[in-house]
Amino acid sequence: MTPILYNVESERPDAVFEELSGTKFFVRHQPRTFKALVAKPPTEWGINIEQLRCVSRLGVFLIDDAGVVWGKRVSPFEAAPIPIEPGTVQARLLFPSDATITKYEFSFDFAQSLMDFELVPVFAAAGLLNYVSRIAARIEPAWNPPQLSAVVYALYARGAGDFYTPITGLAPYLELRNNANTLITTNFTEVAPGFYQDSSLSLSPSGNPYTIRVGPGAPSGAFDYTTAVAQFSV
């Protein structure tokens, strides 16, 4: 879920017509657009938004200021995310001035085939407006036999010259699996904030590629660990 969006605009341009001898013929609808501002996010927030362009299918639910969730009707009893064109997603950083704050302009186009009458309210809960989205965590492994190192961090700067946030306290929750998805016993130690090592491993090339991740038992707090997954070979 995104942070609260400000100055939201969603418009559908006029349909395309061809005129022949004074008579107009309908050609096609124009896609509905969406544009909003995100106030004072870390500059790296845009990375996660830009990556959405890499997927083949993408959809959203919209939550209005009354906590009503809007989706796309697919049957009299079902609704689905509103489809958007992944290639149109963009996030543009707007630098602050002496009279403005840092903000992102976030925009995309809905799918060409989406009709306005397909938009329906599917759920309502005012508590959704209080939700704070979690920060995507990342993990980077390095294999130097017999030592496996891993850095777990969030790509959010903490200040000038401090480009990322290390995530601590995860040594018991790091999981290592081989290509058969077999869980390998590890004994990670946190040797520096967010930097973990296990110096007792014996890994065979037959297990390539290996996958390391933050396991589901980790206390999430402010972080989303579903993105903290990486592969490596030995």
Side-chain angles (χ1 to χ4, degrees):
M1 185 181 293
T2 67
I4 292 177
L5 303 177
Y6 298 91
N7 292 7
V8 176
E9 300 176 11
S10 182
E11 300 179 351
R12 183 187 288 276
D14 293 338
V16 177
F17 294 89
E18 182 179 8
E19 185 171 339
L20 300 176
S21 301
T23 301
K24 288 185 176 182
F25 295 88
F26 174 81
V27 177
R28 60 178 171 83
H29 286 292
Q30 298 269 47
R32 174 172 286 277
T33 62
F34 183 94
K35 183 169 67 174
L37 297 178
V38 179
K40 302 180 70 173
T43 55
E44 296 87 352
W45 182 82
I47 294 175
N48 298 324
I49 298 300
E50 293 283 337
Q51 288 177 341
L52 295 175
R53 287 204 298 264
C54 300
V55 301
S56 58
R57 298 177 63 190
L58 189 62
V60 295
F61 286 106
L62 301 178
I63 305 173
D64 65 23
D65 60 1
V68 177
V69 180
W70 293 79
K72 177 188 176 183
R73 184 198 305 274
V74 294
S75 80
F77 309 103
E78 297 177 306
I82 305 167
I84 68 177
E85 298 292 347
T88 65
V89 175
Q90 62 176 334
R92 185 166 63 100
L93 179 65
L94 304 178
F95 278 101
S97 69
D98 61 345
T100 62
I101 62 172
T102 302
K103 48 191 173 291
Y104 261 107
E105 184 181 80
F106 170 47
S107 63
F108 57 81
D109 289 355
F110 290 103
Q112 175 77 39
S113 60
L114 178 70
M115 296 289 99
D116 290 348
F117 58 78
E118 295 178 295
L119 300 176
V120 292
V122 298
F123 184 73
L128 290 172
L129 302 177
N130 300 321
Y131 177 82
V132 178
S133 57
R134 291 175 177 160
I135 301 171
R138 298 166 182 254
I139 187 169
E140 291 187 8
W143 171 245
N144 185 18
Q147 183 180 89
L148 176 61
S149 302
V151 180
V152 186
Y153 65 97
L155 197 57
Y156 272 49
R158 294 185 293 179
D162 195 356
F163 301 132
Y164 70 97
T165 301
I167 304 177
T168 61
L170 297 178
Y173 306 105
L174 297 182
E175 291 186 356
L176 179 64
R177 296 177 182 268
N178 61 17
N179 55 14
N181 201 35
T182 301
L183 183 64
I184 299 170
T185 301
T186 58
N187 184 27
F188 282 99
T189 301
E190 188 169 4
V191 297
F195 187 73
Y196 303 89
Q197 287 183 344
D198 185 337
S199 301
S200 60
L201 289 172
S202 177
L203 302 180
S204 168
S206 63
N208 288 336
Y210 290 87
T211 301
I212 186 170
R213 69 168 186 161
V214 177
S220 56
F223 301 102
D224 175 9
Y225 293 123
T226 61
T227 56
V229 180
Q231 289 189 330
F232 67 95
S233 296
V234 302

